[in-house]
Amino acid sequence: MPKVGMQPIRRSQLIAATLEAVDQVGMSDASIAYIARVAGVSNGIISHYFKDKNGLLDATMRHLMQALSDAVHERRAALKDDSPRAHLHAIIEGNFDDSQVNGPAVKTWLAFWATSMHQPALRRLQRINDRRLDSNLCCQFRRVLPPAAARAAARGLSSLIDGLWLRGALTGEAFDTARDLQIAYEYVDLQLAKV
Amino acid sequence: MPKVGMQPIRRSQLIAATLEAVDQVGMSDASIAYIARVAGVSNGIISHYFKDKNGLLDATMRHLMQALSDAVHERRAALKDDSPRAHLHAIIEGNFDDSQVNGPAVKTWLAFWATSMHQPALRRLQRINDRRLDSNLCCQFRRVLPPAAARAAARGLSSLIDGLWLRGALTGEAFDTARDLQIAYEYVDLQLAKV
Amino acid sequence: MPKVGMQPIRRSQLIAATLEAVDQVGMSDASIAYIARVAGVSNGIISHYFKDKNGLLDATMRHLMQALSDAVHERRAALKDDSPRAHLHAIIEGNFDDSQVNGPAVKTWLAFWATSMHQPALRRLQRINDRRLDSNLCCQFRRVLPPAAARAAARGLSSLIDGLWLRGALTGEAFDTARDLQIAYEYVDLQLAKV
Amino acid sequence: MPKVGMQPIRRSQLIAATLEAVDQVGMSDASIAYIARVAGVSNGIISHYFKDKNGLLDATMRHLMQALSDAVHERRAALKDDSPRAHLHAIIEGNFDDSQVNGPAVKTWLAFWATSMHQPALRRLQRINDRRLDSNLCCQFRRVLPPAAARAAARGLSSLIDGLWLRGALTGEAFDTARDLQIAYEYVDLQLAKV
DNA sequence: GATGAATGAGTGTTCATTCAT
DNA sequence: CATGAATGAACACTCATTCAT
């Protein structure tokens, strides 16, 4: 049923199918045929919209990054309190947004991380993401801490966020987001208390 | 000329080749043929010693886990000071042992993490590893903190260790182990200071 | 805005695009999508005008044959001298007309020859073409030579023409038409001198 | 039934199957699967011995070239008469050797010619072959003709040979080798008679 | 008349695995 | 013990063709 203007619809549909497929069978078994079957379309359509499988994976990673970016921005935009502490909390919460901690997203992120070590294109995206979090955190810490301390605090907090996320991912069970947030909040307070 | 006792030698040789292959081309391109070429042996030998590729990967993961376990145990055994703080430092240092942060190990660990989400056998190993770290840390924190606080501190520290390791891995550059250790030590001190 | 009389225009446009596509990437990579892109039209239009790809290739071959036929006829019609030698020269020159020795035409002819060995429709066209040249030459030789000698001379000359053309095609450089014409003219003279 | 030292046997077998496949269905339909079926082996074996399809086609072309070269050399080596005329006859006969004018060889040569226009590797082989014939002929003509005339005679004769061969190929019927040889011999005599 | 979305069979290639030697 | 020849299924990708718009 060919229609005009299907491009954005199909692209979203195929990215969603990719996440679902990776969730179900893992990245290495998420073949084009499998993803197409999940999406309920033919194999060939993927090349039509994404040129090749790499294009689809690239778009999927960008989708996850965009969702993370949005989750953080929304929370920060909604803040009434402009304090560093409030911003740091918003950033942390954004990183534990449902778009980031649901099963498919978690498994896909992890697969991307592993893959990115040998794929320059993915690696570039990866580093953009890493640095964005680090720099966001560092900006806030710098408002109250001396530069060196701010940098260390930022690295500590970004690592703690990733670590909590990773541990949550690897358990396979649902995230205990509340507990993880508490641990991260506490780290923020301990760092800010240094002043 | 049949040789006696080749088994342990060949097995180590092939595990080393696997790590090297994953380092060079990534897990998904580390085919049996590639690994065999790196090891300088024929394709068929792998099934001879490990039954199949999965057996080789399983053995490789066990090798990395054993190295981690050894690295921690050695440091704890060498302690003159039996304080929780000393033990926690030893555990942290063991996790940043060279056997864990060198390129091949890092890439292989990451690949195992991603893969383990869909392979029960790998997943089981993964969880044993995770829990061992958590429980080791928790034991020490419990010596000075109330149970709930000890559990939280253990989770925070294990996540921080993994997060630092992960961030180090993803940069692609060499680990700045000294800085990461400082961040982890500080976390220990902040937790112990709660008392 | 439906246009009237687009058929001949579109057909010529698509045949020209086919020649250009074959020149650029070769027959086997000259997909419908590629040809359509060269022509600046949509994929679907080709089946509209030619039913399928075979129809387009068939039309393209007929186009080349017609151009050859025209090139020969024009030259023969313009002759003031009705001698066999003059006619033979005109036929030779027609076969080296620019429409036959330009890059796209050469590559397409060659591809057709190779393909025609396994496609009855193309093969039929091919043989019509071959025989037309042979018969044209034979008619003229017969005016001065006995039948057997005329047949042999015709076969020799037609082969020489094709061979010169082929060698010119395979060098990849521009045709040295003048030299090739000299060689063919000389062959004519040597045959006619037998009388 | 894996055996040791199969390489030369398999390679010959696969080259023969390629020629047969091209003869049967044409180069564009001579898929790896088809060739493997003709050879009675599995698809995968081709990569094992030739890396990829291109490697097989390359080897097949080299095989045809070698056969041509051998056919010419044998005849020239067997000459008792060292005259230019005798050598030229031997070269001509070599070019009409059965290894060159049998159905599979003819169709494969033709396909290679067409393909070589867009494949640098094939083109290089092609030109080596073309020039070898031209230079062989030119050497002999130069023994009795002035340089310019020798060059023209060589180009004429090589073109005539190719043209006769091509015309023979395109008819689809068996070669009338005797007649074609006569035509070529006559051309030699006409050229040598210029002296 | 013209588009381009959609299909699905077919391609070359890779690969883990088996097994005769 | 060890080799490497051989298999065949699975893969990503291409393509001619169809057809609703």
Side-chain angles (χ1 to χ4, degrees):
Chain A
M1 50 204 139
K3 285 167 195 166
V4 188
M6 291 296 285
Q7 199 140 346
I9 299 174
R10 279 276 179 266
R11 288 180 66 99
S12 297
Q13 180 187 7
L14 287 168
I15 288 172
T18 302
L19 291 168
E20 199 176 329
V22 172
D23 183 47
Q24 287 171 12
V25 298
M27 171 112 330
S28 68
D29 286 339
S31 64
I32 280 200
Y34 191 91
I35 294 171
R37 207 178 317 129
V38 168
V41 297
S42 69
N43 291 359
I45 209 88
I46 284 170
S47 335
H48 195 281
Y49 285 109
F50 294 97
K51 179 172 164 54
D52 57 13
K53 192 182 181 183
N54 241 9
L56 174 57
L57 296 182
D58 198 87
T60 303
M61 184 152 174
R62 285 176 196 277
H63 168 82
L64 289 176
M65 282 177 64
Q66 189 60 51
L68 171 57
S69 179
D70 291 349
V72 170
H73 277 76
E74 280 169 20
R75 283 169 176 80
R76 294 183 71 181
L79 287 181
K80 289 160 191 163
D81 173 5
D82 191 47
S83 70
R85 193 170 179 272
H87 277 285
L88 290 166
H89 278 217
I91 295 169
I92 292 169
E93 285 160 26
N95 275 271
F96 286 91
D97 184 78
D98 179 63
S99 71
Q100 304 298 306
V101 301
N102 66 61
V106 159
K107 289 175 183 164
T108 308
W109 266 122
L110 207 41
F112 277 140
W113 281 353
T115 310
S116 73
M117 312 237 47
H118 295 92
Q119 295 215 4
L122 281 184
R123 157 144 268 171
R124 224 171 303 122
L125 287 176
Q126 189 62 60
R127 303 208 51 178
I128 289 170
N129 208 44
D130 279 6
R131 291 187 168 164
R132 184 187 296 160
L133 174 57
D134 217 47
S135 122
N136 278 344
L137 297 175
C138 206
C139 278
Q140 299 305 316
F141 277 123
R142 243 198 295 258
R143 290 169 63 191
V144 289
L145 296 178
R151 271 200 301 278
R155 178 157 188 91
L157 183 52
S158 61
S159 295
L160 183 57
I161 290 171
D162 282 357
L164 288 166
W165 180 93
L166 179 63
R167 292 234 140 201
L170 293 176
T171 63
E173 301 145 17
F175 268 77
D176 185 348
T177 310
R179 180 196 52 188
D180 289 347
L181 286 177
Q182 275 313 314
I183 293 173
Y185 291 162
E186 187 206 45
Y187 189 82
V188 169
D189 289 338
L190 291 171
Q191 295 298 325
L192 295 179
K194 285 182 183 174
V195 184
Chain B
M1 45 192 151
K3 291 167 192 161
V4 198
M6 287 298 285
Q7 192 144 346
I9 297 175
R10 278 271 182 267
R11 288 180 63 99
S12 295
Q13 179 187 9
L14 288 167
I15 288 172
T18 303
L19 291 168
E20 199 176 329
V22 171
D23 183 47
Q24 286 171 11
V25 297
M27 174 73 63
S28 67
D29 286 340
S31 64
I32 280 199
Y34 190 91
I35 293 171
R37 209 177 316 130
V38 169
V41 298
S42 70
N43 289 357
I45 204 106
I46 283 169
S47 40
H48 194 282
Y49 285 108
F50 294 100
K51 178 172 161 55
D52 57 12
K53 193 183 183 182
N54 241 0
L56 174 57
L57 296 183
D58 198 87
T60 303
M61 185 152 175
R62 285 177 196 278
H63 167 82
L64 288 176
M65 282 177 62
Q66 189 60 51
L68 172 57
S69 179
D70 290 351
V72 170
H73 277 74
E74 280 169 21
R75 282 170 177 79
R76 295 183 70 182
L79 286 182
K80 291 159 190 165
D81 173 4
D82 191 48
S83 70
R85 192 167 178 273
H87 277 282
L88 290 167
H89 278 217
I91 295 169
I92 291 168
E93 284 160 27
N95 274 272
F96 285 92
D97 183 79
D98 179 64
S99 71
Q100 304 298 306
V101 301
N102 66 60
V106 160
K107 288 176 183 165
T108 308
W109 266 122
L110 208 41
F112 277 140
W113 281 354
T115 309
S116 74
M117 313 236 47
H118 296 93
Q119 294 214 7
L122 280 184
R123 156 145 271 172
R124 224 171 302 121
L125 288 176
Q126 188 62 61
R127 305 210 47 180
I128 290 169
N129 206 44
D130 279 4
R131 291 188 169 164
R132 184 187 296 160
L133 174 57
D134 216 49
S135 121
N136 278 346
L137 296 175
C138 205
C139 277
Q140 298 306 317
F141 277 123
R142 241 198 297 260
R143 289 169 62 192
V144 289
L145 296 178
R151 271 200 303 279
R155 179 158 188 89
L157 183 52
S158 61
S159 294
L160 183 58
I161 291 170
D162 283 358
L164 287 167
W165 181 93
L166 179 62
R167 292 235 141 202
L170 294 176
T171 62
E173 301 145 18
F175 268 77
D176 186 348
T177 310
R179 180 194 52 188
D180 289 347
L181 286 176
Q182 276 312 316
I183 293 173
Y185 292 161
E186 187 206 47
Y187 190 81
V188 170
D189 289 339
L190 291 171
Q191 293 300 322
L192 296 179
K194 284 182 180 172
V195 186
Chain C
M1 44 191 154
K3 290 167 193 162
V4 197
M6 287 298 286
Q7 193 143 346
I9 297 174
R10 277 272 182 267
R11 287 179 64 98
S12 296
Q13 179 187 7
L14 287 168
I15 288 171
T18 303
L19 291 168
E20 199 176 329
V22 171
D23 183 46
Q24 287 170 10
V25 297
M27 175 73 65
S28 67
D29 285 340
S31 64
I32 281 199
Y34 191 90
I35 294 171
R37 210 178 315 131
V38 168
V41 298
S42 70
N43 290 357
I45 204 104
I46 284 170
S47 41
H48 195 283
Y49 282 109
F50 294 99
K51 178 172 162 54
D52 57 13
K53 193 183 182 182
N54 243 0
L56 173 58
L57 296 182
D58 197 87
T60 303
M61 185 153 175
R62 286 177 195 276
H63 167 82
L64 289 175
M65 283 177 62
Q66 190 60 52
L68 171 57
S69 179
D70 290 351
V72 170
H73 278 74
E74 281 170 18
R75 281 170 178 78
R76 295 183 71 181
L79 287 181
K80 290 158 192 165
D81 173 3
D82 191 47
S83 70
R85 192 169 178 275
H87 277 282
L88 290 167
H89 278 217
I91 295 169
I92 291 168
E93 285 159 26
N95 274 271
F96 286 91
D97 183 78
D98 179 64
S99 71
Q100 305 299 305
V101 300
N102 66 60
V106 160
K107 289 177 182 164
T108 307
W109 265 123
L110 207 41
F112 277 139
W113 281 355
T115 310
S116 73
M117 313 236 47
H118 297 93
Q119 294 214 7
L122 280 184
R123 155 144 269 168
R124 223 172 304 122
L125 287 176
Q126 188 63 62
R127 303 209 50 178
I128 289 170
N129 206 46
D130 279 4
R131 292 188 167 162
R132 184 187 296 160
L133 173 57
D134 218 48
S135 122
N136 278 345
L137 297 175
C138 205
C139 278
Q140 298 305 317
F141 277 124
R142 241 198 297 260
R143 289 169 63 191
V144 288
L145 296 178
R151 270 200 302 280
R155 179 157 187 91
L157 183 51
S158 62
S159 294
L160 184 56
I161 291 171
D162 283 357
L164 287 167
W165 181 93
L166 179 62
R167 290 235 143 202
L170 293 176
T171 62
E173 301 144 17
F175 269 77
D176 185 347
T177 310
R179 180 195 51 187
D180 289 347
L181 286 177
Q182 276 312 315
I183 293 173
Y185 292 162
E186 189 207 44
Y187 190 81
V188 169
D189 289 339
L190 291 171
Q191 293 299 325
L192 296 180
K194 285 183 183 172
V195 186
Chain D
M1 48 205 141
K3 286 167 195 165
V4 188
M6 291 297 285
Q7 200 141 346
I9 299 174
R10 280 276 181 265
R11 286 180 66 97
S12 296
Q13 180 186 7
L14 287 167
I15 288 172
T18 303
L19 291 169
E20 200 176 327
V22 171
D23 184 47
Q24 288 171 12
V25 298
M27 172 113 323
S28 68
D29 285 339
S31 64
I32 280 201
Y34 190 91
I35 294 170
R37 208 178 315 129
V38 168
V41 296
S42 69
N43 291 1
I45 207 88
I46 284 169
S47 336
H48 196 282
Y49 285 109
F50 294 98
K51 178 171 165 54
D52 57 13
K53 191 182 183 183
N54 239 11
L56 174 57
L57 295 183
D58 197 87
T60 303
M61 184 153 176
R62 285 176 196 277
H63 168 82
L64 289 176
M65 282 177 63
Q66 189 61 51
L68 171 56
S69 178
D70 290 350
V72 170
H73 277 74
E74 282 170 18
R75 283 170 177 77
R76 297 183 69 180
L79 286 182
K80 290 160 192 164
D81 173 3
D82 191 48
S83 70
R85 190 168 180 274
H87 278 283
L88 290 166
H89 279 218
I91 295 169
I92 292 169
E93 285 160 25
N95 274 270
F96 286 92
D97 182 80
D98 179 63
S99 71
Q100 304 299 307
V101 301
N102 67 61
V106 159
K107 289 176 183 164
T108 308
W109 266 123
L110 207 40
F112 276 139
W113 281 353
T115 309
S116 73
M117 313 236 47
H118 294 93
Q119 294 215 6
L122 281 184
R123 156 146 270 170
R124 225 171 303 122
L125 287 176
Q126 188 61 61
R127 304 209 50 180
I128 289 170
N129 208 44
D130 279 5
R131 292 187 169 166
R132 184 187 295 160
L133 174 56
D134 217 48
S135 124
N136 278 345
L137 297 175
C138 206
C139 278
Q140 299 305 317
F141 278 123
R142 242 199 295 259
R143 289 169 63 192
V144 288
L145 297 178
R151 271 199 301 278
R155 178 156 189 94
L157 184 51
S158 61
S159 295
L160 183 57
I161 290 171
D162 282 357
L164 288 166
W165 181 94
L166 180 62
R167 291 235 142 200
L170 294 176
T171 63
E173 301 144 15
F175 268 77
D176 186 347
T177 310
R179 179 196 50 187
D180 289 347
L181 286 177
Q182 276 312 315
I183 293 173
Y185 292 161
E186 189 206 43
Y187 190 82
V188 169
D189 289 338
L190 291 172
Q191 294 298 324
L192 296 180
K194 285 184 183 171
V195 185

